[in-house]
Amino acid sequence: MHHELLTRARDLAVAHLDQAPGRHVGARATRASLAEALGGPLPETGAAPLDVLTALARSAAPGLVATVGPRYFGFVTGGALPATVAADWLASAWDQNGALYVMSPAVAVLEDIVQEWLVTLLGLPASASVGFVTGCHMANFTCLAAARHEVLRRAGWNVEAEGLQRAPRLRVIAGAHAHVSLIGALRLLGIGTAELRVVPVDDQGRMLASEARAALAEAEAPTILCAQAGNVSSGASDPVADLVAAAHDRGAWVHVDGAFGLWAAAVPELRQQVAGVEEADSWATDAHKWLNVPYDSGLAIVADPAPHRAAMSLHASYLVRGDEEERVGMDWVPESSRRARVLPIYAALRTLGRAGVADLVRRNVALAQRMAAALGAADGVRILNEVVLNQVLVQFIGTASQSDDATTRAVIARVQEEGTCWAGGASWHGREVMRISVSNWSTTPDDIDASAAAILAAYRDAVTATDASAEAAPDGTRA
Ligand SMILES: *Cc1c(COP(=O)(O)O)cnc(C)c1O
Protein backbone atom coordinates (compact mmCIF):
# COMPACT_ATOMS: atom_id res chain seq x y z
CA MET A 1 0.00 0.00 0.00
CA HIS A 2 2.54 2.58 1.08
CA HIS A 3 4.95 1.78 -1.77
CA GLU A 4 2.74 3.10 -4.51
CA LEU A 5 1.48 6.03 -2.47
CA LEU A 6 4.84 7.25 -1.31
CA THR A 7 6.29 6.79 -4.76
CA ARG A 8 3.46 8.92 -6.14
CA ALA A 9 4.01 11.53 -3.41
CA ARG A 10 7.69 11.57 -4.30
CA ASP A 11 6.91 12.07 -7.99
CA LEU A 12 4.47 14.88 -7.26
CA ALA A 13 6.88 16.56 -4.85
CA VAL A 14 9.81 16.28 -7.24
CA ALA A 15 7.69 17.70 -10.07
CA HIS A 16 6.73 20.67 -7.90
CA LEU A 17 10.35 21.33 -6.94
CA ASP A 18 11.51 20.94 -10.55
CA GLN A 19 8.90 23.38 -11.82
CA ALA A 20 9.13 25.95 -9.03
CA PRO A 21 12.11 27.90 -10.43
CA GLY A 22 10.47 28.37 -13.84
CA ARG A 23 6.82 28.91 -13.02
CA HIS A 24 4.75 32.00 -12.26
CA VAL A 25 5.80 32.64 -8.67
CA GLY A 26 2.42 33.61 -7.25
CA ALA A 27 -0.74 31.56 -7.11
CA ARG A 28 -2.99 31.64 -10.16
CA ALA A 29 -6.28 30.57 -8.67
CA THR A 30 -9.14 32.29 -6.96
CA ARG A 31 -10.50 31.24 -3.60
CA ALA A 32 -13.72 30.20 -5.33
CA SER A 33 -12.00 28.09 -7.99
CA LEU A 34 -9.94 26.30 -5.35
CA ALA A 35 -12.98 25.66 -3.19
CA GLU A 36 -14.78 24.33 -6.24
CA ALA A 37 -11.93 22.03 -7.28
CA LEU A 38 -11.14 20.73 -3.79
CA GLY A 39 -14.43 20.98 -1.92
CA GLY A 40 -17.96 19.74 -1.94
CA PRO A 41 -19.80 18.04 0.88
CA LEU A 42 -17.97 15.64 3.20
CA PRO A 43 -17.98 12.36 1.30
CA GLU A 44 -20.11 9.63 2.79
CA THR A 45 -17.82 6.91 1.51
CA GLY A 46 -14.10 6.89 0.95
CA ALA A 47 -11.98 6.87 -2.20
CA ALA A 48 -8.78 5.15 -3.23
CA PRO A 49 -5.79 6.83 -1.51
CA LEU A 50 -3.81 7.03 -4.75
CA ASP A 51 -6.68 8.83 -6.46
CA VAL A 52 -7.13 11.18 -3.52
CA LEU A 53 -3.45 12.10 -3.47
CA THR A 54 -3.28 12.65 -7.22
CA ALA A 55 -6.46 14.74 -7.34
CA LEU A 56 -5.36 16.73 -4.31
CA ALA A 57 -2.08 17.66 -5.97
CA ARG A 58 -3.72 18.50 -9.28
CA SER A 59 -6.46 20.63 -7.76
CA ALA A 60 -4.22 22.43 -5.27
CA ALA A 61 -1.50 23.25 -7.82
CA PRO A 62 -2.99 26.56 -9.08
CA GLY A 63 -3.28 27.73 -5.47
CA LEU A 64 0.31 26.96 -4.55
CA VAL A 65 2.85 29.73 -4.23
CA ALA A 66 6.40 28.94 -5.38
CA THR A 67 7.92 29.80 -2.03
CA VAL A 68 10.47 27.04 -2.52
CA GLY A 69 11.67 28.72 -5.71
CA PRO A 70 14.49 31.25 -5.98
CA ARG A 71 12.43 34.38 -6.73
CA TYR A 72 9.92 34.42 -3.92
CA PHE A 73 10.76 37.50 -1.84
CA GLY A 74 7.57 37.79 0.21
CA PHE A 75 7.47 38.20 3.99
CA VAL A 76 10.54 36.43 5.42
CA THR A 77 9.94 32.95 4.18
CA GLY A 78 13.18 31.05 3.71
CA GLY A 79 13.26 28.01 1.49
CA ALA A 80 13.78 24.35 2.16
CA LEU A 81 17.17 22.78 1.53
CA PRO A 82 16.74 19.45 -0.29
CA ALA A 83 18.26 17.52 2.62
CA THR A 84 15.76 19.07 4.99
CA VAL A 85 12.78 18.14 2.83
CA ALA A 86 14.04 14.57 2.65
CA ALA A 87 14.58 14.46 6.42
CA ASP A 88 11.10 15.90 6.93
CA TRP A 89 9.67 13.01 4.91
CA LEU A 90 11.36 10.65 7.33
CA ALA A 91 9.84 12.57 10.25
CA SER A 92 6.40 11.84 8.78
CA ALA A 93 7.12 8.25 7.85
CA TRP A 94 8.67 7.47 11.22
CA ASP A 95 5.88 9.36 13.01
CA GLN A 96 7.87 9.73 16.21
CA ASN A 97 6.65 11.69 19.19
CA GLY A 98 9.27 13.98 20.70
CA ALA A 99 7.50 14.38 24.04
CA LEU A 100 9.37 11.77 26.07
CA TYR A 101 12.64 9.86 25.74
CA VAL A 102 10.84 6.54 25.91
CA MET A 103 8.61 7.50 22.99
CA SER A 104 11.61 7.94 20.70
CA PRO A 105 15.11 7.61 22.09
CA ALA A 106 16.50 8.59 18.67
CA VAL A 107 14.58 11.87 18.58
CA ALA A 108 15.47 12.65 22.18
CA VAL A 109 19.17 12.18 21.48
CA LEU A 110 18.95 14.20 18.26
CA GLU A 111 17.39 17.05 20.22
CA ASP A 112 20.28 16.91 22.70
CA ILE A 113 22.79 17.02 19.85
CA VAL A 114 21.08 19.78 17.88
CA GLN A 115 20.61 21.89 21.02
CA GLU A 116 24.35 21.88 21.51
CA TRP A 117 25.09 22.54 17.84
CA LEU A 118 22.68 25.48 17.72
CA VAL A 119 24.01 27.31 20.75
CA THR A 120 27.55 26.78 19.48
CA LEU A 121 26.64 28.05 16.02
CA LEU A 122 24.84 31.13 17.34
CA GLY A 123 27.51 31.83 19.95
CA LEU A 124 25.09 31.57 22.88
CA PRO A 125 25.90 30.25 26.36
CA ALA A 126 26.74 26.54 26.36
CA SER A 127 24.33 25.99 29.25
CA ALA A 128 21.32 27.21 27.25
CA SER A 129 18.29 24.99 26.77
CA VAL A 130 16.42 24.76 23.46
CA GLY A 131 12.75 24.03 22.89
CA PHE A 132 11.75 22.82 19.43
CA VAL A 133 8.52 24.70 18.73
CA THR A 134 6.37 25.48 15.68
CA GLY A 135 7.75 28.92 14.89
CA CYS A 136 9.14 32.11 16.33
CA HIS A 137 5.71 33.16 17.59
CA MET A 138 5.63 30.17 19.94
CA ALA A 139 9.35 30.59 20.60
CA ASN A 140 8.60 34.11 21.83
CA PHE A 141 5.79 32.68 23.94
CA THR A 142 8.00 30.01 25.47
CA CYS A 143 10.89 32.34 26.24
CA LEU A 144 8.61 34.99 27.69
CA ALA A 145 6.94 32.38 29.90
CA ALA A 146 10.40 31.56 31.25
CA ALA A 147 11.07 35.27 31.71
CA ARG A 148 7.76 35.76 33.51
CA HIS A 149 8.55 32.85 35.79
CA GLU A 150 11.97 34.15 36.70
CA VAL A 151 11.30 37.84 37.28
CA LEU A 152 8.27 36.96 39.43
CA ARG A 153 10.22 34.28 41.30
CA ARG A 154 12.78 36.92 42.20
CA ALA A 155 9.89 39.03 43.49
CA GLY A 156 8.80 36.13 45.71
CA TRP A 157 5.95 34.96 43.49
CA ASN A 158 5.35 31.52 41.98
CA VAL A 159 3.38 32.29 38.85
CA GLU A 160 2.85 28.66 37.84
CA ALA A 161 1.10 27.99 41.17
CA GLU A 162 -0.43 31.36 42.05
CA GLY A 163 -1.22 32.68 38.62
CA LEU A 164 -1.09 36.25 37.47
CA GLN A 165 -4.24 37.85 38.82
CA ARG A 166 -2.85 38.74 42.25
CA ALA A 167 0.82 38.77 41.20
CA PRO A 168 3.15 41.75 41.51
CA ARG A 169 2.71 43.99 38.51
CA LEU A 170 4.98 43.00 35.65
CA ARG A 171 6.57 45.62 33.49
CA VAL A 172 7.30 44.71 29.88
CA ILE A 173 9.33 47.03 27.70
CA ALA A 174 9.44 46.64 23.92
CA GLY A 175 10.38 48.72 20.91
CA ALA A 176 7.75 50.48 18.82
CA HIS A 177 8.68 48.10 15.97
CA ALA A 178 8.39 44.88 17.98
CA HIS A 179 7.01 42.08 15.82
CA VAL A 180 3.29 41.36 16.21
CA SER A 181 4.02 37.82 17.32
CA LEU A 182 5.86 39.16 20.34
CA ILE A 183 2.79 41.22 21.22
CA GLY A 184 0.60 38.16 20.61
CA ALA A 185 2.80 35.98 22.81
CA LEU A 186 2.65 38.52 25.63
CA ARG A 187 -1.11 38.67 25.31
CA LEU A 188 -1.34 34.91 25.83
CA LEU A 189 0.83 35.32 28.92
CA GLY A 190 -1.57 37.81 30.47
CA ILE A 191 0.20 41.01 29.46
CA GLY A 192 -2.12 43.22 27.49
CA THR A 193 -1.07 45.50 24.67
CA ALA A 194 -2.06 48.61 26.64
CA GLU A 195 0.25 47.52 29.47
CA LEU A 196 3.39 47.56 27.33
CA ARG A 197 5.94 50.28 27.82
CA VAL A 198 6.73 51.09 24.21
CA VAL A 199 10.15 52.55 23.45
CA PRO A 200 10.59 54.82 20.41
CA VAL A 201 12.79 53.64 17.54
CA ASP A 202 15.12 55.31 15.06
CA ASP A 203 14.64 55.56 11.30
CA GLN A 204 15.76 51.94 10.83
CA GLY A 205 13.35 50.67 13.49
CA ARG A 206 16.03 50.17 16.17
CA MET A 207 15.07 50.80 19.77
CA LEU A 208 16.70 53.96 21.11
CA ALA A 209 18.97 52.84 23.95
CA SER A 210 18.61 56.14 25.83
CA GLU A 211 14.81 55.81 25.74
CA ALA A 212 15.03 52.20 26.87
CA ARG A 213 17.24 53.27 29.76
CA ALA A 214 14.68 55.89 30.73
CA ALA A 215 11.90 53.29 30.62
CA LEU A 216 13.93 50.93 32.80
CA ALA A 217 14.52 53.69 35.34
CA GLU A 218 10.83 54.53 35.77
CA ALA A 219 10.15 52.18 38.66
CA GLU A 220 11.39 49.17 40.56
CA ALA A 221 9.30 46.28 39.29
CA PRO A 222 9.78 42.81 37.89
CA THR A 223 10.77 43.75 34.35
CA ILE A 224 11.19 42.05 30.99
CA LEU A 225 12.86 43.97 28.21
CA CYS A 226 12.17 42.66 24.69
CA ALA A 227 14.86 43.44 22.17
CA GLN A 228 14.83 42.56 18.50
CA ALA A 229 17.51 41.13 16.23
CA GLY A 230 16.30 41.77 12.69
CA ASN A 231 13.45 44.23 12.20
CA VAL A 232 10.92 42.41 10.03
CA SER A 233 10.92 45.26 7.51
CA SER A 234 14.40 46.80 7.57
CA GLY A 235 16.47 43.90 8.92
CA ALA A 236 18.13 46.25 11.44
CA SER A 237 18.90 45.01 14.94
CA ASP A 238 18.43 46.83 18.22
CA PRO A 239 21.60 47.96 20.05
CA VAL A 240 21.54 44.74 22.02
CA ALA A 241 24.74 45.23 24.04
CA ASP A 242 23.57 48.59 25.38
CA LEU A 243 20.11 47.27 26.12
CA VAL A 244 21.39 44.20 27.95
CA ALA A 245 23.79 46.25 30.08
CA ALA A 246 21.08 48.75 31.03
CA ALA A 247 18.50 46.05 31.73
CA HIS A 248 20.79 43.85 33.78
CA ASP A 249 21.79 46.89 35.88
CA ARG A 250 18.12 47.06 36.85
CA GLY A 251 17.68 43.32 37.36
CA ALA A 252 15.52 42.98 34.27
CA TRP A 253 15.33 39.94 31.98
CA VAL A 254 16.31 40.53 28.36
CA HIS A 255 14.52 38.55 25.69
CA VAL A 256 15.62 38.79 22.05
CA ASP A 257 13.20 38.18 19.18
CA GLY A 258 15.62 37.13 16.48
CA ALA A 259 13.38 35.20 14.10
CA PHE A 260 15.82 35.69 11.22
CA GLY A 261 18.20 38.40 12.47
CA LEU A 262 19.76 36.15 15.09
CA TRP A 263 21.38 34.19 12.25
CA ALA A 264 23.71 37.17 11.72
CA ALA A 265 25.40 35.79 14.83
CA ALA A 266 26.54 32.78 12.80
CA VAL A 267 28.49 34.93 10.32
CA PRO A 268 31.74 36.44 11.60
CA GLU A 269 31.51 39.67 9.61
CA LEU A 270 27.81 40.21 10.46
CA ARG A 271 27.97 39.29 14.11
CA GLN A 272 28.70 42.85 15.19
CA GLN A 273 25.12 43.74 14.17
CA VAL A 274 23.98 41.72 17.17
CA ALA A 275 27.03 42.31 19.35
CA GLY A 276 26.35 41.42 22.96
CA VAL A 277 23.46 39.16 22.08
CA GLU A 278 25.00 36.27 24.01
CA GLU A 279 24.53 38.28 27.21
CA ALA A 280 20.73 38.22 26.90
CA ASP A 281 18.57 35.80 28.88
CA SER A 282 16.48 34.26 26.12
CA TRP A 283 16.29 34.13 22.33
CA ALA A 284 13.48 33.22 19.99
CA THR A 285 14.32 32.31 16.44
CA ASP A 286 13.07 30.36 13.45
CA ALA A 287 14.59 27.43 11.67
CA HIS A 288 12.02 27.65 8.89
CA LYS A 289 13.20 31.11 7.85
CA TRP A 290 16.92 31.49 7.39
CA LEU A 291 18.03 27.96 8.14
CA ASN A 292 15.81 26.91 5.22
CA VAL A 293 14.05 23.94 6.76
CA PRO A 294 10.39 23.27 5.87
CA TYR A 295 7.57 24.59 8.04
CA ASP A 296 7.00 24.44 10.92
CA SER A 297 10.09 24.97 12.97
CA GLY A 298 11.04 27.51 15.61
CA LEU A 299 13.55 27.53 18.46
CA ALA A 300 13.05 28.79 22.00
CA ILE A 301 16.43 29.23 23.66
CA VAL A 302 16.93 30.17 27.31
CA ALA A 303 20.33 30.80 28.93
CA ASP A 304 19.33 29.29 32.26
CA PRO A 305 17.43 26.03 31.80
CA ALA A 306 15.78 26.26 35.26
CA PRO A 307 13.15 28.95 34.49
CA HIS A 308 12.66 27.47 31.02
CA ARG A 309 11.78 24.09 32.45
CA ALA A 310 9.80 25.56 35.37
CA ALA A 311 7.58 27.48 32.97
CA MET A 312 6.94 24.57 30.60
CA SER A 313 7.19 21.24 32.34
CA LEU A 314 4.11 19.27 33.40
CA HIS A 315 3.76 16.34 35.70
CA ALA A 316 1.22 13.55 35.54
CA SER A 317 1.05 10.06 36.94
CA TYR A 318 1.58 8.44 33.55
CA LEU A 319 4.44 10.70 32.45
CA VAL A 320 7.06 8.46 33.95
CA ARG A 321 10.43 10.14 33.57
CA GLY A 322 14.03 9.26 34.09
CA ASP A 323 16.11 11.10 36.65
CA GLU A 324 16.02 14.89 36.73
CA GLU A 325 19.19 15.26 34.71
CA GLU A 326 17.82 13.65 31.58
CA ARG A 327 16.46 16.05 28.99
CA VAL A 328 12.78 15.41 28.28
CA GLY A 329 11.51 17.01 25.07
CA MET A 330 8.20 18.25 26.44
CA ASP A 331 9.88 20.15 29.30
CA TRP A 332 10.90 22.95 26.96
CA VAL A 333 7.83 23.58 24.82
CA PRO A 334 4.18 24.51 25.34
CA GLU A 335 3.09 21.25 23.74
CA SER A 336 3.00 17.61 24.72
CA SER A 337 2.89 15.42 21.62
CA ARG A 338 5.06 16.84 18.90
CA ARG A 339 6.47 15.74 15.56
CA ALA A 340 10.20 15.13 15.19
CA ARG A 341 10.89 18.57 13.75
CA VAL A 342 14.46 18.23 14.91
CA LEU A 343 15.18 15.93 11.95
CA PRO A 344 15.25 18.59 9.21
CA ILE A 345 17.25 20.90 11.49
CA TYR A 346 19.76 18.13 12.03
CA ALA A 347 19.92 17.54 8.27
CA ALA A 348 20.50 21.25 7.62
CA LEU A 349 23.27 21.60 10.18
CA ARG A 350 24.91 18.31 9.28
CA THR A 351 24.97 19.03 5.55
CA LEU A 352 25.95 22.69 5.80
CA GLY A 353 28.28 22.71 8.77
CA ARG A 354 29.12 25.98 10.47
CA ALA A 355 30.74 27.35 7.31
CA GLY A 356 27.76 26.40 5.16
CA VAL A 357 25.27 28.20 7.41
CA ALA A 358 27.45 31.31 7.36
CA ASP A 359 27.72 31.06 3.60
CA LEU A 360 23.94 30.76 3.16
CA VAL A 361 23.30 33.88 5.22
CA ARG A 362 26.19 35.79 3.66
CA ARG A 363 25.05 35.00 0.11
CA ASN A 364 21.51 36.18 0.82
CA VAL A 365 22.79 39.44 2.28
CA ALA A 366 24.96 40.04 -0.80
CA LEU A 367 21.98 39.30 -3.04
CA ALA A 368 19.75 41.71 -1.11
CA GLN A 369 22.42 44.38 -1.62
CA ARG A 370 22.60 43.50 -5.31
CA MET A 371 18.82 43.94 -5.56
CA ALA A 372 18.97 47.27 -3.74
CA ALA A 373 21.75 48.48 -6.05
CA ALA A 374 19.90 47.44 -9.21
CA LEU A 375 16.62 49.04 -8.15
CA GLY A 376 18.12 52.08 -6.45
CA ALA A 377 20.06 53.05 -9.60
CA ALA A 378 16.82 53.61 -11.53
CA ASP A 379 15.12 57.01 -11.72
CA GLY A 380 12.21 57.34 -9.36
CA VAL A 381 13.14 54.37 -7.20
CA ARG A 382 14.21 54.90 -3.62
CA ILE A 383 15.63 52.36 -1.21
CA LEU A 384 14.33 53.42 2.19
CA ASN A 385 16.41 51.23 4.49
CA GLU A 386 20.07 50.59 5.06
CA VAL A 387 20.43 47.14 3.53
CA VAL A 388 22.44 45.60 6.33
CA LEU A 389 20.86 42.17 6.15
CA ASN A 390 18.41 40.45 3.78
CA GLN A 391 15.59 43.02 3.71
CA VAL A 392 15.09 45.75 1.09
CA LEU A 393 12.38 48.44 1.32
CA VAL A 394 11.59 50.11 -1.98
CA GLN A 395 9.51 53.17 -2.73
CA PHE A 396 8.37 54.06 -6.26
CA ILE A 397 7.91 57.76 -6.90
CA GLY A 398 4.62 58.69 -8.51
CA THR A 399 3.53 61.21 -11.10
CA ALA A 400 1.46 64.38 -11.05
CA SER A 401 -1.63 62.23 -11.29
CA GLN A 402 -0.64 59.36 -8.97
CA SER A 403 0.85 59.57 -5.48
CA ASP A 404 4.00 57.72 -4.43
CA ASP A 405 1.91 55.40 -2.26
CA ALA A 406 -0.54 54.58 -5.04
CA THR A 407 2.31 54.06 -7.50
CA THR A 408 4.12 51.74 -5.10
CA ARG A 409 0.93 49.74 -4.57
CA ALA A 410 0.41 49.56 -8.33
CA VAL A 411 3.95 48.31 -8.92
CA ILE A 412 3.52 45.60 -6.27
CA ALA A 413 0.24 44.47 -7.86
CA ARG A 414 1.85 44.35 -11.33
CA VAL A 415 4.88 42.43 -10.09
CA GLN A 416 2.66 39.84 -8.43
CA GLU A 417 0.51 39.56 -11.54
CA GLU A 418 3.45 39.27 -13.92
CA GLY A 419 4.97 36.42 -11.95
CA THR A 420 8.73 36.58 -12.53
CA CYS A 421 9.06 37.16 -8.80
CA TRP A 422 6.84 37.89 -5.83
CA ALA A 423 7.20 40.70 -3.32
CA GLY A 424 4.67 42.12 -0.92
CA GLY A 425 3.91 45.53 0.51
CA ALA A 426 4.28 47.17 3.89
CA SER A 427 4.04 50.55 5.49
CA TRP A 428 7.35 52.05 6.59
CA HIS A 429 7.34 55.25 8.67
CA GLY A 430 4.04 56.22 7.07
CA ARG A 431 5.02 55.41 3.50
CA GLU A 432 3.95 52.49 1.36
CA VAL A 433 6.88 50.29 0.35
CA MET A 434 7.64 47.14 -1.53
CA ARG A 435 9.27 44.77 0.92
CA ILE A 436 11.81 42.35 -0.49
CA SER A 437 13.24 39.57 1.63
CA VAL A 438 16.05 37.41 0.27
CA SER A 439 16.20 34.29 2.38
CA ASN A 440 16.21 31.28 0.08
CA TRP A 441 19.29 29.07 -0.39
CA SER A 442 18.64 28.66 -4.13
CA THR A 443 18.49 32.32 -5.16
CA THR A 444 21.28 33.31 -7.57
CA PRO A 445 22.57 36.64 -8.90
CA ASP A 446 20.70 35.88 -12.15
CA ASP A 447 17.46 35.54 -10.19
CA ILE A 448 18.07 38.93 -8.63
CA ASP A 449 18.86 40.55 -11.98
CA ALA A 450 15.79 39.05 -13.67
CA SER A 451 13.61 40.08 -10.74
CA ALA A 452 14.98 43.63 -10.63
CA ALA A 453 14.31 43.94 -14.36
CA ALA A 454 10.73 42.70 -13.89
CA ILE A 455 10.16 45.12 -11.02
CA LEU A 456 11.51 48.07 -13.02
CA ALA A 457 9.37 47.09 -16.01
CA ALA A 458 6.33 46.99 -13.70
CA TYR A 459 7.23 50.48 -12.48
CA ARG A 460 7.50 51.81 -16.07
CA ASP A 461 4.13 50.24 -16.89
CA ALA A 462 2.52 51.64 -13.76
CA VAL A 463 3.71 55.14 -14.60
CA THR A 464 2.77 54.83 -18.28
CA ALA A 465 -0.69 53.65 -17.32
CA THR A 466 -1.31 56.72 -15.17
CA ASP A 467 0.07 59.06 -17.85
CA ALA A 468 -2.29 57.45 -20.37
CA SER A 469 -5.27 57.75 -18.06
CA ALA A 470 -4.38 61.36 -17.28
CA GLU A 471 -4.24 62.14 -21.01
CA ALA A 472 -7.52 60.33 -21.57
CA ALA A 473 -9.20 62.84 -19.30
CA PRO A 474 -8.42 66.22 -20.90
CA ASP A 475 -9.96 68.25 -18.08
CA GLY A 476 -7.24 66.88 -15.83
CA THR A 477 -9.52 64.67 -13.77
CA ARG A 478 -8.45 61.08 -13.54
CA ALA A 479 -10.28 58.41 -15.40
C1 LIG B 1 8.56 35.90 11.34
C2 LIG B 1 8.84 36.61 12.62
C3 LIG B 1 8.23 36.22 13.81
C4 LIG B 1 7.16 35.16 13.86
O1 LIG B 1 7.65 33.95 13.48
P1 LIG B 1 6.73 32.74 12.97
O2 LIG B 1 7.73 31.80 12.47
O3 LIG B 1 5.83 33.32 11.92
O4 LIG B 1 5.96 32.25 14.14
C5 LIG B 1 8.60 36.86 14.96
N1 LIG B 1 9.49 37.85 14.96
C6 LIG B 1 10.08 38.29 13.84
C7 LIG B 1 11.08 39.41 13.91
C8 LIG B 1 9.78 37.67 12.62
O5 LIG B 1 10.38 38.08 11.50
Side-chain angles (χ1 to χ4, degrees), residues 76 135-138 140 179 181 228 230 232 257 259-260 286 288-289:
V76 185
C136 195
H137 192 146
M138 289 318 285
N140 278 326
H179 192 269
S181 75
Q228 187 164 251
V232 77
D257 176 357
F260 61 98
D286 267 317
H288 59 216
K289 286 180 180 171

Side-chain angles (χ1 to χ4, degrees), residues 39 51 64 136 182 290 391 407 416 457:
D51 295 345
L64 297 179
C136 195
L182 185 105
W290 230 343
Q391 303 291 110
T407 304
Q416 293 179 1

Side-chain angles (χ1 to χ4, degrees), residues 82-134:
T84 70
V85 179
D88 205 49
W89 287 0
L90 292 183
S92 290
W94 291 350
D95 197 22
Q96 301 290 285
N97 188 336
L100 296 175
Y101 177 86
V102 71
M103 289 171 143
S104 181
V107 168
V109 169
L110 283 164
E111 289 193 355
D112 289 346
I113 294 166
V114 169
Q115 167 175 276
E116 192 185 321
W117 286 359
L118 283 167
V119 298
T120 305
L121 177 67
L122 296 170
L124 302 179
S127 64
S129 46
V130 178
F132 296 87
V133 294
T134 51

Side-chain angles (χ1 to χ4, degrees), residues 159-172:
V159 71
E160 282 71 37
E162 308 296 332
L164 207 58
Q165 306 199 50
R166 292 166 298 117
R169 207 178 141 75
L170 268 178
R171 184 170 46 161
V172 181

